[in-house]
């Protein structure tokens, strides 16, 4: 029989107010095995503890139940009490009647009733408790400090000085925190940087401190003395062992970002060092993990953001080089690209997308006209020879990439002019032949052999080519017209679109071409045919197509919107949702088209399946009909290659572009996909990578499928500025001949347009830094690193955020430049700030300065607490203004000046005496700051209006935005105000409820620098308490196996997250059995195995099935 | 007659949800008294048999609450609990007991208000369902 003692704590009125502890104690006397039951005012106090000890001695108690606060609070206390009297500490059971009863229930009868039920459940469990032996574990004598502000710096130095290895983890590229941004500190007016930077340098030099900047906590596992912390070391894209902090890179970086160090009042570059005294002295490239949509949407992977940024800073040659890196046809794609990049440009979220294609055209034209673009001749360095069949965009794109790799490349083309559709089809008003030839010739001049007038399959066999070359790329395009059978088409006056365009390009006009032209088709080729027909002398040009003009619908015309709009502008007539039924003719010549109404074009899955109905449809008069319903490839001679179903396109692997013959690759319009120049360029370049890998005999697929996340959110709030207008040839003029429609941007227009780019991913990867860095320290493909560290104790010193005053519109912050926050004032007044310490607003020294206190603090609807530092920093800031602008008028609106610290009151008196007008106002009284032409008017109730040219808001301190996330990672609590919660507000002010994790500085609550430093040292000392012990006692509540019940199924082995269980062989009665065995040193006591065990053979000591079932029984029965 | 008050037994993991319930107390956020808590080290300790036993012994509802996914003090206990409770609910449904009488929640140490919300919500839901009668299945 056990002897149980029950002790109910009143906790002053904390429990006593809503739980009748006397009644609870009285009722407990009737519970089974209870020998004694008492209540006391403070059970955790010495007399309370004595009470328990005395009873253990007198009554020979062997089980104790204490009903008080949470076991997370005082379980260690009461365990020590029973242990002191020789009882096993695990024979104690606690009942939480404070946090989970009295503090949450307001009614004495129900609170008491619940407390009684819980005590009864604990008594039933207590009867079943077994004595357990505590385990000892080794302590890892290493600390981690999270946060590199003054708190973290102090803690790290203290622990390091005690001789323990310390990791200091800082999220930003430099340590220093908020203190590094302050000008002077109150009340002594020390220069903040002067007292901080020596400590920062100490950190860098300290033999025991390992600094991990630009790093974040990824995960935390384990327990006191034995944490396993994974730190994410964010890529700086800099090899820090090589960076000499010379700063040459910054000068050449085109990307301009707000400077956070200067509170966004100035700009910095994408490659930067946060401030001159930063530790470590290493540069960082700000680059987001997600990709800029323009770049990853481009089928040729062209870095639009990069060349746009370069154009913005006048580096046109560099811009063109960057374009050519991925796209060898800038003159062409600057004119005819279907530019999917512009569809996804995030600038559209602000106003309109960038005019990316036209900027590319500008870069190409500018350098061509200024002759700054000479081709670089490449001599092949490798033995392998490659044949490219087809000198179109895909073929030449593939060719130049292979030439760059050192291969000898020969291109075969059937025509006498290379370029494929670029030179043969695309109308000259869009792409003049000489410009296409400029790009093409430049490539050929680099060292590509071209064999003209040779059709593979006719002049030379495909087999012969394969025999002569080590690898082949097929990019013959799709230049044959697709033919549609329409009744009555065996008459004169019928032309095929592709043939028509080709002849027109050469200046040939078919004798069958008349005056009233009907184009059949709704794609870009149809639009080209229509506009060309107009320019060839067509008097009336109509387009008939199945699809609808509404481009938002699934049955939309496939042509690009600008093609349609231009056609409409030029007077082309559209007949939408009609299909050709019959060609009407007279005397063997076309006279018109009979149509039928099309009700649906595409099925839901996008398959082309037009449906018509029989209602009467218009008849269109015309003497010429041009079919522009698509094009196909001439695959004659390539029968050895497998085709896709339908036989129109070549089968390829969609990643490698390898065909059914391993040495043959294909791209451009002969493979499935949307026909476009830029797609062809992209496929050619990808095929080139495959060919190179194929010839080098390495895996051609590996690493080529990337996980790409596009940037979805615009980072910056920019002023609206629509895209630069493109000058175009007037309609009435341009339709007379084939002159270019778009006239291109001037240099100034191009720069203005380029400056609209919001640089989505920050760094644009323009590679200018790589060019400039002599130390070769730039590593653009650096990856984030994850480091797992064994840590004994952790100090959290993550600091605070400043209150955002835009949430309080009455202060006019953000509305007028004359209102600034306290942190902005700190930078303004600092010698290292944007104005090198001159107090000026809009370039003018202010005459009237008003400080408003308690902005965002002491607010019953928001942050109810006092931020503790604002009164004194305001006094300091007022003093700074008085010091620098002796004739200014200074007013401080305050509610209560809280000058509570050492030297504070004296400082406040001194500042007041400097002719600074302290005006008192009630916090709830209305106050407003309204901008006008001369500055602002500050209206405070009970005071005359003040005209001011500078208003400084004493913005309060708020918890870090990400503190919730960190609290979860570390398993520490947050108080209602959002700061991290200390284990006890009075007696354990730097501990958390998770043993081994401590708090320092403003992450716990707002405080000034001296308090922060004191708390940091205190946390360091608490951490060293742990680190200095070789071994720690830890919970004995580990799993144990009853071998007589175990059937060796190993379910527990699977369920154990620590691999603490294994199957071993035992011998019983001459037989061998497999049973589970727990390695107690590895077991962390979660009890998961016990829940998995079907036999109840493995049990969680302290939480056994029987013990918990007893609790359930008690709680269920009431 | 007094309004029907459902009896709820809650199994809370020591590291997240029990601390979350403590935080509700520290923050003085009140919630109905109907819940009585049994502390376990990890939600992964909760044997489905406990849930069934609780219902059998008189509880009208059972709350099992652990850390958020990825934050389990013991790496994966909450995933196991989640699976086990899902299975238990299926079993209850087979037995003709409304599976909504068993609830699995993620409540972190910093979510005191969430704990109070969950309890309040659960009590309302159970009032709606009425007392659990096991006569049907006996």
């Amino acid at each position: 029989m056990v002897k149980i003692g029950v002790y109910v704590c009143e906790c002053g009125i904390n429990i006593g107010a809503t739980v009748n502890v006397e009644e609870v104690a009285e009722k407990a006397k009737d519970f089974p095995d209870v020998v004694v039951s008492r209540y006391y005012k403070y059970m955790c106090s010495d007399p309370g503890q004595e009470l328990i000890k005395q009873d253990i001695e007198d009554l020979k108690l062997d089980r104790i139940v204490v009903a008080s606060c949470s076991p997370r609070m005082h379980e260690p206390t009461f365990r020590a009490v029973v242990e002191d009297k020789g009882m096993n500490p695990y024979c104690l059971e606690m009942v939480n009647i404070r946090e989970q009863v009295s503090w949450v229930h307001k009614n004495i009868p129900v609170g008491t009733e619940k407390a009684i039920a819980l005590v009864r459940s604990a008594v039933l469990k207590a009867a079943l408790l077994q004595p357990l032996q505590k385990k000892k574990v080794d302590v890892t004598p290493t600390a981690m400090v999270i946060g590199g502000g003054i708190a973290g710096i102090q803690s790290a130095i203290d622990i390091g000085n005690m001789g323990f290895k310390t990791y200091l983890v800082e999220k930003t590229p430099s340590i220093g925190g908020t203190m590094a941004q302050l000008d002077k500190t109150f009340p002594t007016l020390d220069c903040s940087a002067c007292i901080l930077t020596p400590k920062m340098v100490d950190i860098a030099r300290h033999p025991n401190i390992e600094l991990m900047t630009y790093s974040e906590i990824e995960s935390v596992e384990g327990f006191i003395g034995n944490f396993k912390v994974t730190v994410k070391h964010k890529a700086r894209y800099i090899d820090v062992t090589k960076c000499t902090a010379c700063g040459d890179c910054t000068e050449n970086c085109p990307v301009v970002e707000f400077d956070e160090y200067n509170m966004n009042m100035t700009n910095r570059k994408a490659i930067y060092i946060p401030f001159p005294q930063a530790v470590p002295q290493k540069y960082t490239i700000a680059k987001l993990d997600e990709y800029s949509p323009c770049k990853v949407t481009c089928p040729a992977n062209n870095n639009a953001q990069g060349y746009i940024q370069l154009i913005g800073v006048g580096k046109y040659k560099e811009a063109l080089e960057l374009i050519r890196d991925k796209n060898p046809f800038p003159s062409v794609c600057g004119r005819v690209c279907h530019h999917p990049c512009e569809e996804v440009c995030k600038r559209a979220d602000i106003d309109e997308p960038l005019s990316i294609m036209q900027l590319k055209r500008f870069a190409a034209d500018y350098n061509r006209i200024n002759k700054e673009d000479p081709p670089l001749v490449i001599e092949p360095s490798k033995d392998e020879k490659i044949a490219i069949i087809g000198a179109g965009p895909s073929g030449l794109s593939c060719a130049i990439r292979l030439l760059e790799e050192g291969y000898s490349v020969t291109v075969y083309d059937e025509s006498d002019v290379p370029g494929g559709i670029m030179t043969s089809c695309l109308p000259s008003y869009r792409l003049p032949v000489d410009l296409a030839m400029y790009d093409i010739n430049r490539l050929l001049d680099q060292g590509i052999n071209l064999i003209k007038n040779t059709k593979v399959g006719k002049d030379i066999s495909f087999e012969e080519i394969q025999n002569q070359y080590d690898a082949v790329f097929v990019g013959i395009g799709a230049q044959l017209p697709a033919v549609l059978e329409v009744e009555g088409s065996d008459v004169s006056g019928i032309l095929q679109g592709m043939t028509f365009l080709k002849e027109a390009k050469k200046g040939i006009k078919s004798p069958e071409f008349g005056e009233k032209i009907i184009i059949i088709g709704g794609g870009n080729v149809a639009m080209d045919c229509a506009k060309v027909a107009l320019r060839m002398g067509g008097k009336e040009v109509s387009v008939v197509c199945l699809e609808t003009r509404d481009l938002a619908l699934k049955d939309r015309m496939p042509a690009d919107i600008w093609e349609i709009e231009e056609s409409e502008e030029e007077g082309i007539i559209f007949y939408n949702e009609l299909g050709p039924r019959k060609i009407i003719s007279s005397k063997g010549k076309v006279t018109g088209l009979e149509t039928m109404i099309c009700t649906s074009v595409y099925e839901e899955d996008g398959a082309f399946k037009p449906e018509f109905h029989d209602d009467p449809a218009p008849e269109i008069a015309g003497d010429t009909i041009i079919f522009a319903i698509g094009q196909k490839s001439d695959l004659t001679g390539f029968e050895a290659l497998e085709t896709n179903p339908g036989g129109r396109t070549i089968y390829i692997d969609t990643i490698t572009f390898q065909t059914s013959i391993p040495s043959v690759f294909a791209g451009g319009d002969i493979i499935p996909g949307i026909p476009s120049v830029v797609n062809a360029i992209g496929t050619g370049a990808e095929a080139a990578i495959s060919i190179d890998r194929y010839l080098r005999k390495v895996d051609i697929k590996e690493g080529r499928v990337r996980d790409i996340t596009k940037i979805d959110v615009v980072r910056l709030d920019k002023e609206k500025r629509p895209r630069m207008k493109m000058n175009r040839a007037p309609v009435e003029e341009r339709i007379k001949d084939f002159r270019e429609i778009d006239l291109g941007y001037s240099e100034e227009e191009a720069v203005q347009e380029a400056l609209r780019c919001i640089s989505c991913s920050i760094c644009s990867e323009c590679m200018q830094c790589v060019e400039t860095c002599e130390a070769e320290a730039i590593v653009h493909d650096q990856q984030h690193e994850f480091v797992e560290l064994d840590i004994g104790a952790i100090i959290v010193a993550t600091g605070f955020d400043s209150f955002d005053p835009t949430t309080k519109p009455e202060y006019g912050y953000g509305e007028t430049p004359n209102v600034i926050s306290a942190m902005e004032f700190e930078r303004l007044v600092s010698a290292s700030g944007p104005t090198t310490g001159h107090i000026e607003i809009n370039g003018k020294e202010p005459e009237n300065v008003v400080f408003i206190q308690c902005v965002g603090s002491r607010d019953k609807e928001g942050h109810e607490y006092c931020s503790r530092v604002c009164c004194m920093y305001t006094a300091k800031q007022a003093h700074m203004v008085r010091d620098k602008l002796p004739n200014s008028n200074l007013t401080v609106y305050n509610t209560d000046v809280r000058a509570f610290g050492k030297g504070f009151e004296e400082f406040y008196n001194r500042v007041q005496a400097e002719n600074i007008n302290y005006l008192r106002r009630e916090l709830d009284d209305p106050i407003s700051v309204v901008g006008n032409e001369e500055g602002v008017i500050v209206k405070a109730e009970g005071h005359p209006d003040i005209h001011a040219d500078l208003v400084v808001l004493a913005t309060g301190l708020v918890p870090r935005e990400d503190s919730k996330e960190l609290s979860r990672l570390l398993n520490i609590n947050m108080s209602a105000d959002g700061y991290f919660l200390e284990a006890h507000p009075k007696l354990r002010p730097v501990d958390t409820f998770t043993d081994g994790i401590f708090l320092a500085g403003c992450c716990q609550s707002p405080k000034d620098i001296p308090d922060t430093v004191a708390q940091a040292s205190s946390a360091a000392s608490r951490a060293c308490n742990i680190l200095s012990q070789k071994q720690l006692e830890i919970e004995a509540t580990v799993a144990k196996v009853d071998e007589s019940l175990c059937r060796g199924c190993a379910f527990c082995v699977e369920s154990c997250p620590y691999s603490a269980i294994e199957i071993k062989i035992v011998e019983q009665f001459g037989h061998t059995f497999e049973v589970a065995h727990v390695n107690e040193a590895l077991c962390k006591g979660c009890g998961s195995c016990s829940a998995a065990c079907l036999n109840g053979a493995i049990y969680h000591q302290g939480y056994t099935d029987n013990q918990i079932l007893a609790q359930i029984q008690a709680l269920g029965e009431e | 007659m007094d309004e029907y008050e459902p009896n709820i037994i809650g199994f809370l993991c020591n590291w997240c949800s029990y601390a979350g319930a403590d935080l509700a107390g520290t923050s003085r956020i009140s919630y109905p008294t109907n819940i009585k808590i049994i502390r376990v080290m990890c939600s992964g300790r909760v044997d489905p048999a406990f849930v069934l036993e609780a219902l059998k012994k008189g509880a009208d509802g059972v709350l099992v609450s652990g850390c958020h996914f990825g934050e389990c003090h013991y790496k994966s206990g909450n995933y196991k609990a989640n699976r086990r409770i899902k299975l238990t609910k299926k079993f209850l449904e087979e037995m003709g007991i409304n599976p909504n009488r068993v609830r699995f929640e993620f409540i972190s140490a910093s979510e005191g208000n969430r704990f109070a919300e969950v309890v309040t919500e659960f009590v309302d839901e159970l009032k709606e369902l009425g007392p659990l009668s096991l006569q049907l299945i006996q």
Side-chain angles (χ1 to χ4, degrees), chain A residues 378 382 386-388 395-409 471 473 684 687-693 695:
Chain A
I378 305 169
K382 292 182 177 155
I386 296 151
I388 308 279
L396 289 176
S397 162
C398 184
I400 188 66
R401 298 299 162 234
L402 290 167
L403 181 67
E404 282 165 355
E405 288 299 327
Y407 296 101
S408 156
V409 184
F473 175 80
I689 296 171
S690 304
I691 293 171
D692 173 52
R693 289 193 186 189
L695 294 175

Side-chain angles (χ1 to χ4, degrees), chain A residues 182 219 247 314 358 723 998:
Chain A
L182 304 180
S219 69
Q358 296 292 356
R723 62 157 66 178
F998 305 97

Side-chain angles (χ1 to χ4, degrees), chain B:
Chain B
M1 202 184 108
D2 286 348
E3 197 191 351
Y4 157 66
E5 290 294 343
N7 182 20
I8 304 173
I9 295 182
F11 296 94
L12 306 191
C13 85
N14 178 59
W15 302 98
C16 291
S17 303
Y18 193 87
D22 275 358
L23 182 61
T26 317
S27 321
R28 311 294 199 276
I29 305 167
S30 52
Y31 52 83
T33 49
N34 308 52
I35 185 154
K36 278 137 206 128
I37 294 164
I38 295 177
R39 179 168 73 128
V40 288
M41 293 314 279
C42 177
S43 57
R45 170 68 187 96
V46 179
D47 193 321
F50 295 171
V51 177
L52 303 178
E53 192 67 16
L55 295 174
K56 191 172 136 195
K57 285 290 187 303
D60 300 297
V62 177
L63 171 71
V64 180
S65 180
C67 310
H68 287 268
F69 281 147
E71 289 165 15
C72 176
H73 191 77
Y74 304 101
K75 296 182 186 177
S76 57
N78 50 356
Y79 291 91
K80 288 171 198 142
N82 182 41
R83 286 198 298 269
R84 286 172 186 152
I85 298 304
K86 271 189 183 156
L87 193 68
T88 311
K89 285 163 90 95
K90 252 190 174 161
F91 175 76
L92 288 176
E93 202 165 8
E94 288 291 317
M95 301 301 287
I97 299 172
N98 191 322
N100 291 342
R101 291 188 181 275
V102 178
R103 204 168 158 139
F104 185 64
E105 289 288 341
F106 305 102
I107 299 170
S108 79
S110 56
E111 293 175 325
N113 49 355
R114 173 87 192 122
F115 177 75
E117 267 167 37
V118 165
V119 173
T120 313
E121 231 177 80
F122 198 20
V123 168
D124 288 348
E125 201 179 335
L126 288 170
K127 279 185 181 172
E128 201 63 21
L129 290 176
L132 171 63
S133 160
L134 294 180
Q135 297 302 320
L136 281 172
I137 56 164
Q138 270 168 3

